[in-house]
Amino acid sequence: MTIDVATGISRILKEEGVGWVSTFPVCRVNNALGREGVPMLMMRDDRYAVAVADAFSRITGGSRIGVCTFQGGVNAAGMQYAYAGMAQAYEDGSPVLCITDGVPAGSSGNSQYDVASAMKTVSKWFGYLDKPERTPELMRRAFTMLRSGRPGPVILAIPNATAAYDETADPYRPVKGWKSAPDSADVRAAVDELLAARDPLIYAGEGVIYAGASEELKALAELVNVPVITTLKAKGAFPEDHPLFVGVRGDQVAHYLNKSDLILAVGSSLSPGRFSHAIPDAAKKTIIHCNVDELHINKMYPTAHAVIGDARLTLQALRQEVSDRTSGAGRPADNVAAEVRAARDEALARYRQVRASDEKPINPYRVYGDLMEVLDLRNSFVTHESGNTRDQLSTVFDTLIPRGFLGWGNVSTLGFSLAAAIAAKKAFPDRASVAVTGEAGLGYMLGNLEVLLREKLGVTVVHISNGGFAGYGPGFWGPGHDPFTHQVLGPDEVDMSKVIGALGFHTERVSEPAEIIPALRRALDVNRSGRPAYIEFICCQYPVYGQWVGRSAE
Ligand SMILES: Cc1ncc(C[n+]2csc(CCOP(=O)(O)OP(=O)(O)O)c2C)c(N)n1
Ligand SMILES: [Mg+2]
């Protein structure tokens, strides 16, 4: 049976269990997707088309792959705009499939922008479908790259979507994805060190979530009685009401990073970025680095022992080895948990205080505290924006289930929270989905708000409306970080609840602390019937939050 490439791709996506594709037109695969009955979530720009699919892959831990399409080819306006989304997905290691038009053979000199070399810098793998009969082969390869090893974006360029091939010549079978188990000698060496350490610390990264290894992480931590910190992107990989949970950032995390003599890193690159810790005195600590591949080993810090393999299989193997060595007893509990609690209590006291504040304008921590009260934290999704909402929520928001909160940002590209909240609604329609943003993130979102109305996506946007870029003006950073570029029209000049209300959102503007909870409840209520909500909380600028170790305020 002869079919065209676009139809072949659409059918293969269905075989791979892809339920929908996010897009911004035009892409020459889209009409076939429509004809083949693959629903398209049409965003209002190409960057959001990528970001929604990217976020879907993140939120599902790669168990369901997000797929997007956008314009490519000669003079690829869509692709140039989508580049920001792809770069972010690449930097954050998200397994998203991006399908675009390729430059047709013979046209490679027709534009200044070199598609192939640009795409190769932001992808784990870039495929160019240079012959129609290679459709099954390249799709197989794409899903292999998406489902195996270190996660990252895969980009497929289709130069001729109407070219025909025989669908029966190389029948497509869905790709399973493969995992590797660690070398038992490496596991033994790691456990030797772990059991000999005085103050070990588990440093959990997002690899734990992609491996679906939260249970295994908990089981190992409990057996060895070792405190746990998680990276921003792994927030929620370990239950944050657990007695061994230290935090993501803040004084208590600094205390444990400083005092540890051994770091057991699992599923983290350990690369200090703007939104992660440096390891203090790393050369004096024993670093055991468990990772899915060798890319991050002996990078930045000397690795004492590497354990290469899938995070779940690695954690299982470590636990088994500890259990065998200690007849199931593990490391003694001593008063590790009590010390963790004391350190957390002390570090979080200042936030607990402002969480209860009645001041006006509202303190942002009051909004976060009330949000935690209103939500069922085991059945909801919250994400932050770039800016203070990231810094503050990652300091205090209690995350009890994996992806109950999405932390993002090796690069934190403004506007991503809306894409994440949309993706969460698609992944878990019954969960409340909340994006918390400042004015900068909101500015990026505005054009895409129509999508929520059109698609009946019951998402709530919480706006911490403080009239400026709070971390940038005079304030926390002494005379100011960017004193010339931090002020925008604020709530006194512009009523965003009216602007967004005119679109059709349920909107409210809240300046009374006592009104926060009722307003949030009303928003979540309208969300249940598929109507999006926007709540503007008139807040003070309060750039106070937990720091990253080894990084000056940037
Ligand atoms: C695409 C992009 N450009 C620039 C930045 C740098 N940046 C980070 S936060 C921010 C301003 C945040 O201000 P606002 O949204 O008002 O949040 P607040 O800190 O006041 O809560 C800027 C410009 C970024 N993160 N992403
Ligand atoms: Mg602001």
Side-chain angles (χ1 to χ4, degrees):
M1 169 75 177
T2 298
I3 57 168
D4 63 43
V5 168
T7 303
I9 288 173
S10 307
R11 290 183 184 170
I12 290 170
L13 290 178
K14 284 198 285 187
E15 284 191 62
E16 287 290 0
V18 173
W20 54 276
V21 169
S22 59
T23 189
F24 186 76
V26 294
C27 172
R28 296 202 174 89
V29 174
N30 283 357
N31 288 348
L33 290 171
R35 280 194 302 271
E36 291 294 314
V38 178
M40 277 175 282
L41 176 61
M42 187 174 71
M43 300 306 295
R44 294 295 294 264
D45 70 63
D46 326 75
R47 176 263 169 133
Y48 271 90
V50 178
V52 168
D54 162 354
F56 187 75
S57 289
R58 296 187 200 215
I59 290 162
T60 62
S63 63
R64 288 185 274 168
I65 297 293
V67 182
C68 61
T69 65
F70 47 80
Q71 180 189 38
V74 175
N75 304 128
M79 175 185 285
Q80 290 179 15
Y81 211 74
Y83 189 87
M86 290 184 281
Q88 185 190 5
Y90 185 59
E91 187 78 40
D92 276 11
S94 170
V96 54
L97 175 58
C98 305
I99 299 176
T100 186
D101 312 309
V103 176
S107 300
S108 61
N110 293 33
S111 61
Q112 303 294 325
Y113 181 70
D114 177 356
V115 168
S117 34
M119 294 302 101
K120 281 177 186 169
T121 62
V122 291
S123 58
K124 177 176 173 181
W125 181 73
F126 169 72
Y128 179 77
L129 212 165
D130 53 4
K131 251 187 163 184
E133 37 283 281
R134 294 188 72 198
T135 303
E137 175 205 331
L138 265 68
M139 290 298 281
R140 230 173 1 237
R141 183 110 175 103
F143 276 95
T144 302
M145 293 294 137
L146 290 161
R147 295 211 174 107
S148 310
R150 184 168 46 90
V154 162
I155 306 173
L156 204 53
I158 317 293
N160 185 356
T162 55
Y165 70 102
D166 178 3
E167 193 186 22
T168 59
D170 178 10
Y172 192 83
R173 258 176 255 112
V175 173
K176 170 184 171 289
W178 290 271
K179 301 181 192 318
S180 55
D183 184 334
S184 54
D186 294 334
V187 170
R188 283 197 298 276
V191 168
D192 283 345
E193 298 277 11
L194 184 61
L195 292 179
R198 194 183 59 247
D199 284 311
L201 177 68
I202 294 178
Y203 189 115
E206 206 181 20
V208 171
I209 290 182
Y210 281 111
S214 286
E215 279 304 317
E216 286 76 5
L217 174 64
K218 187 159 149 274
L220 177 70
E222 286 173 355
L223 182 66
V224 293
N225 279 298
V226 172
V228 177
I229 67 172
T230 63
T231 62
L232 174 63
K233 291 196 296 152
K235 185 169 162 56
F238 192 76
E240 298 191 353
D241 55 353
H242 194 284
L244 290 170
F245 179 67
V246 176
V248 173
R249 61 196 295 179
D251 294 350
Q252 79 281 26
V253 178
H255 169 73
Y256 275 93
L257 272 170
N258 279 310
K259 93 165 193 172
S260 60
D261 61 342
L262 178 143
I263 303 239
L264 177 67
V266 187
S268 163
S269 69
L270 285 186
S271 316
R274 289 174 76 113
F275 310 110
S276 56
H277 302 289
I279 306 227
D281 278 330
K284 294 193 192 129
K285 297 183 197 289
T286 301
I287 297 180
I288 298 176
H289 205 159
C290 308
N291 209 287
V292 75
D293 76 10
E294 73 286 358
L295 182 79
H296 302 298
I297 307 303
N298 277 326
K299 182 173 106 183
M300 314 295 294
Y301 306 117
T303 302
H305 295 287
V307 185
I308 305 282
D310 171 77
R312 195 159 68 88
L313 299 176
T314 299
L315 287 163
Q316 281 170 350
L318 290 170
R319 179 166 174 250
Q320 190 60 53
E321 182 67 22
V322 171
S323 182
D324 290 350
R325 299 259 192 115
T326 60
S327 314
R331 282 177 85 250
D334 295 333
N335 53 349
V336 174
E339 278 173 19
V340 169
R341 171 183 290 204
R344 256 179 84 75
D345 277 355
E346 194 187 330
L348 293 174
R350 65 196 295 198
Y351 303 107
R352 225 170 280 124
Q353 215 168 15
V354 279
R355 188 179 154 168
S357 158
D358 280 326
E359 67 186 300
K360 277 168 57 172
I362 299 168
N363 187 292
Y365 286 97
R366 172 72 192 257
V367 179
Y368 310 144
D370 286 1
L371 185 60
M372 283 189 253
E373 217 166 297
V374 165
L375 290 172
D376 171 359
L377 296 178
R378 297 190 183 279
N379 191 33
S380 54
F381 173 86
V382 173
T383 193
H384 59 85
E385 252 309 327
S386 178
N388 277 185
T389 63
R390 170 199 53 233
D391 302 319
Q392 295 169 338
L393 285 165
S394 56
T395 304
V396 299
F397 194 85
D398 291 327
T399 309
L400 306 187
I401 56 166
R403 295 315 197 204
F405 182 94
L406 183 72
W408 43 274
N410 285 347
V411 287
S412 64
T413 311
L414 282 161
F416 187 73
S417 71
L418 183 74
I422 290 173
K425 220 2 130 204
K426 299 291 283 181
F428 303 106
D430 297 333
R431 286 188 192 169
S433 179
V434 179
V436 184
T437 185
E439 24 279 302
L442 189 67
Y444 280 75
M445 292 173 198
L446 284 172
N448 279 270
L449 293 179
E450 177 268 342
V451 178
L452 286 90
L453 292 158
R454 177 163 36 88
E455 294 283 335
K456 301 193 175 31
L457 293 163
V459 162
T460 287
V461 176
V462 165
H463 179 190
I464 303 298
S465 180
N466 58 18
F469 306 156
Y472 288 57
F476 197 49
W477 296 331
H481 179 266
D482 275 84
F484 303 106
T485 51
H486 72 95
Q487 256 173 333
V488 295
L489 295 186
D492 292 341
E493 294 95 7
V494 187
D495 187 338
M496 287 308 292
S497 67
K498 281 197 182 135
V499 174
I500 295 171
L503 278 173
F505 273 54
H506 165 84
T507 66
E508 297 196 36
R509 169 173 253 236
V510 177
S511 50
E512 290 295 329
E515 271 305 303
I516 300 172
I517 286 185
L520 286 171
R521 289 221 164 99
R522 286 189 289 270
L524 298 174
D525 218 41
V526 300
N527 284 171
R528 277 183 210 106
S529 56
R531 188 170 175 212
Y534 162 86
I535 312 291
E536 180 180 17
F537 292 105
I538 311 303
C539 289
C540 62
Q541 295 196 5
Y542 190 77
V544 179
Y545 43 81
Q547 296 302 305
W548 300 116
V549 174
R551 319 220 63 74
S552 56
E554 288 176 81

